[in-house]
Amino acid sequence: MAIRVRGGFVTREPRFRARHLLFTTTPYSGTHQPAPLISNAKAARFENGTLLARYRITFEDGRLVHVGRLASGESASKHDPVWYAYLEVSEPSPWWNNQTYVDTLNPAATARFIEITHERYREVVGHEFGRTIPAIFTDEPQFVHKTVPGRADDTADLFLPWTDDFAESFARSYGHDLLDSLPEVFWERADGEASVTRYRYHDHLAERFAAGYADVLGGWCEQYGLMLTGHMMEEPTLESQTRALGEAMRSYRSFHLPGIDILCDRTEYATAKQASSAARQYGRPGVLSELYGVTNWDFDFKGHKAQGDWQAALGVTTRVHHLAWVSMAGEAKRDYPASIFEQSPWWQEYRLVEDHFARLNAALTRGRPVVRVGVIHPIESYWLSFGPTNHTGSVRESRETEFGDLTSWLLHGLIDFDFVAESLLPDLCPEATAPLAVGEARYDVIIVPHLATMRESTMTRLERFVDDGGTLLFSVRFLH
């Protein structure tokens, strides 16, 4: 059986290995925990870390009444369990070539990755950068996945993405110590108020990820005349982005050809719209899609065309196939899909599909899309409801449904639109007018979906947009 090999050179240095915060009621026992065999950056308990803080927490109906951070040496009440926050380092796993996932929150780790990969390509084929080699691809970057309690009274281990200087950079950004109120990231407040700490944690993490990975890679590519392309991990939903990325669109600021990944012949309108929105706003030449993965051997030409057509309609102009095998030996990617090469008897007829898309994409890239509607992306409101499932699950489900419904209603109503990321708006829209200029895009109408929070910078720009004659619509949820 073939073993899928993934890197390992960067993380031979422990300082570049992925980190996470373990929040637990079970203190270290001194027993080393081996790494599980998992295919993404999900966290596990390793008992190899450093104690950051201890807490005595008082709950009422599973909601936070009081958070007491215990001083060093201070004992806790016997009535309430003590929660421990440990900073842990990922342990080597066979999935990662007996190494670990990299710390994507650490720009020094990304710089080391560039040094041992991109720089080697530059030494050998750098004279073709920007010519024969127009772009370099990154595949599924992510951070350690966040977890939340299933029930508010659950005492199972919890995990948050973290890095060595995370608390320090958080304090520089917001002026307070995240560890003082860390439990608010996990549980709802008893007074019913939204947690500022929770919002700021998710926002700061998304910024650390975009700055620590995509910005560093994009800067190097720009220096050497390349486009950064590829796609993020877990792009499609508010839930998946929150757990693994923070928000997808924030990282697209450094992609010269933003990309997506469509597996299993799924239809992911929001995934494509997020990337095409950023491409339009940043004046990028198009959108890439890694497509046809996990479609199996019976995925015919009709399926290839249908999946390509809806993506082209939403802005995809560069197609990256799960393509051809070097060998059929071993398990390999037997369903990713049938090899578009000599292993398949029809491969020489595949030009029927690709001639169609060559002509279509030539037309799509010769003009400039006219999109007059912008939609404020609701990811930051979703963060506020990312708490215990029994308290916030229904709210998260409603927000997810609304996100999908609004996207579908507009597209099936033949109203093209772009998502507007609040995190990117201040730089893309330094001065609000009507139409609203967001980078290279211009919007006559802005739709505000059902939100729980909005940045002051967004509100200020929308007020000026309306004052200058722009049309602002609010999507209201009616309760029966």
Side-chain angles (χ1 to χ4, degrees):
M1 184 181 77
I3 297 176
R4 191 177 183 185
V5 176
R6 288 174 169 263
F9 293 104
V10 174
T11 52
R12 287 175 181 172
E13 296 184 66
R15 64 193 177 110
F16 296 142
R17 294 177 179 176
R19 277 108 165 97
H20 61 255
L21 184 140
L22 164 67
F23 203 57
T24 180
T25 58
T26 306
Y28 276 5
S29 64
T31 303
H32 178 265
Q33 304 292 323
L37 184 63
I38 51 178
S39 62
N40 55 29
K42 289 182 179 178
R45 183 187 182 108
F46 297 122
E47 296 212 5
N48 66 0
T50 303
L51 181 64
L52 299 179
R54 297 179 303 135
Y55 300 88
R56 182 176 60 250
I57 305 173
T58 305
F59 295 95
E60 182 178 294
D61 296 327
R63 291 175 168 80
L64 292 173
V65 175
H66 175 74
V67 174
R69 183 177 174 183
L70 299 173
S72 179
E74 181 182 354
S75 60
S77 165
K78 295 180 180 180
H79 302 291
D80 297 314
V82 175
W83 284 86
Y84 300 83
Y86 295 99
L87 171 59
E88 294 196 328
V89 180
S90 293
E91 288 283 347
S93 162
W95 185 266
W96 305 111
N97 200 24
N98 293 319
Q99 286 297 330
T100 77
Y101 196 70
V102 71
D103 185 0
T104 51
L105 307 183
N106 181 357
T110 308
R112 176 60 177 152
F113 171 55
I114 289 172
E115 180 183 354
I116 65 174
T117 54
H118 297 52
E119 287 291 350
R120 287 290 293 125
Y121 283 113
R122 187 171 71 86
E123 290 172 13
V124 178
V125 293
H127 59 284
E128 294 293 344
F129 282 2
R131 301 165 57 190
T132 308
I133 305 170
I136 195 163
F137 193 101
T138 186
D139 192 49
E140 300 182 352
Q142 60 196 288
F143 47 60
V144 173
H145 295 197
K146 305 165 187 170
T147 65
V148 291
R151 292 187 52 82
D153 56 359
D154 191 354
T155 57
D157 290 348
L158 298 168
F159 300 96
L160 290 176
W162 209 264
T163 194
D164 291 342
D165 66 340
F166 191 84
E168 289 79 3
S169 62
F170 183 96
R172 288 194 299 271
S173 296
Y174 300 112
H176 68 91
D177 189 344
L178 171 60
L179 291 172
D180 284 345
S181 50
L182 179 68
E184 289 189 18
V185 176
F186 297 107
W187 290 283
E188 300 295 283
R189 292 166 52 118
D191 61 10
E193 295 294 319
S195 171
V196 174
T197 297
R198 180 183 295 175
Y199 172 86
R200 288 176 172 174
Y201 168 76
H202 289 286
D203 178 54
H204 189 64
L205 178 65
E207 184 59 30
R208 285 294 305 260
F209 176 57
Y213 188 77
D215 288 359
V216 179
L217 277 181
W220 185 90
C221 289
E222 197 160 307
Q223 181 181 354
Y224 293 107
L226 286 168
M227 292 187 291
L228 173 62
T229 191
H231 68 89
M232 313 300 291
M233 183 69 160
E234 303 287 4
E235 308 144 303
T237 68
L238 302 178
E239 168 94 10
S240 64
Q241 290 182 60
T242 296
R243 287 189 184 274
L245 304 172
E247 61 169 327
M249 287 188 70
R250 195 177 310 208
S251 287
Y252 293 152
R253 68 193 184 196
S254 294
F255 280 72
H256 307 97
L257 187 65
I260 62 175
D261 182 23
I262 300 298
L263 300 174
C264 307
D265 198 27
R266 289 192 290 253
T267 303
E268 297 179 9
Y269 296 144
T271 299
K273 289 304 297 179
Q274 289 168 163
S276 64
S277 300
R280 290 166 179 170
Q281 291 159 4
Y282 283 96
R284 305 310 192 194
V287 174
L288 172 147
S289 177
E290 181 182 348
L291 71 178
Y292 305 142
V294 202
T295 51
N296 222 314
W297 283 79
D298 57 353
F299 194 59
D300 58 15
F301 283 18
K302 178 181 177 182
H304 280 246
K305 182 178 182 297
Q307 185 183 133
D309 278 345
W310 76 255
Q311 292 185 53
L314 297 188
V316 170
T317 56
T318 301
R319 295 156 52 78
V320 175
H321 305 68
H322 277 277
L323 189 59
W325 296 349
V326 174
S327 169
M328 293 184 73
E331 183 180 11
K333 285 189 169 183
R334 60 193 183 281
D335 61 344
Y336 266 72
S339 175
I340 310 176
F341 196 43
E342 60 188 11
Q343 294 92 346
S344 298
W346 46 260
W347 78 275
Q348 289 183 316
E349 307 302 322
Y350 197 67
R351 67 172 56 195
L352 293 170
V353 175
E354 285 311 304
D355 283 353
H356 162 72
F357 287 110
R359 297 180 180 113
L360 177 59
N361 291 337
L364 291 175
T365 54
R366 294 308 185 271
R368 180 170 181 163
V370 177
V371 182
R372 297 189 174 93
V373 178
V375 176
I376 303 299
H377 200 291
I379 187 72
E380 297 191 1
S381 289
Y382 188 87
W383 296 343
L384 289 180
S385 59
F386 199 63
T389 301
N390 67 322
H391 285 162
T392 66
S394 60
V395 177
R396 283 189 270 140
E397 186 176 344
S398 293
R399 294 203 174 280
E400 202 76 78
T401 299
E402 292 163 4
F403 178 57
D405 283 349
L406 182 57
T407 301
S408 183
W409 292 338
L410 289 171
L411 293 178
H412 285 94
L414 303 183
I415 300 173
D416 201 2
F417 72 94
D418 286 339
F419 284 119
V420 177
E422 291 194 73
S423 61
L424 303 177
L425 190 58
D427 288 337
L428 287 171
C429 181
E431 184 176 354
T433 57
L436 190 68
V438 182
E440 299 295 317
R442 301 290 183 272
Y443 305 115
D444 298 318
V445 177
I446 296 294
I447 297 175
V448 180
H450 174 231
L451 301 179
T453 186
M454 180 185 287
R455 294 188 181 211
E456 183 179 0
S457 56
T458 304
M459 180 69 75
T460 299
R461 284 160 176 77
L462 293 183
E463 288 173 343
R464 292 174 182 169
F465 167 68
V466 171
D467 289 343
D468 202 43
T471 300
L472 186 64
L473 302 178
F474 288 85
S475 174
V476 180
R477 183 178 65 172
F478 291 97
L479 301 177
H480 298 283

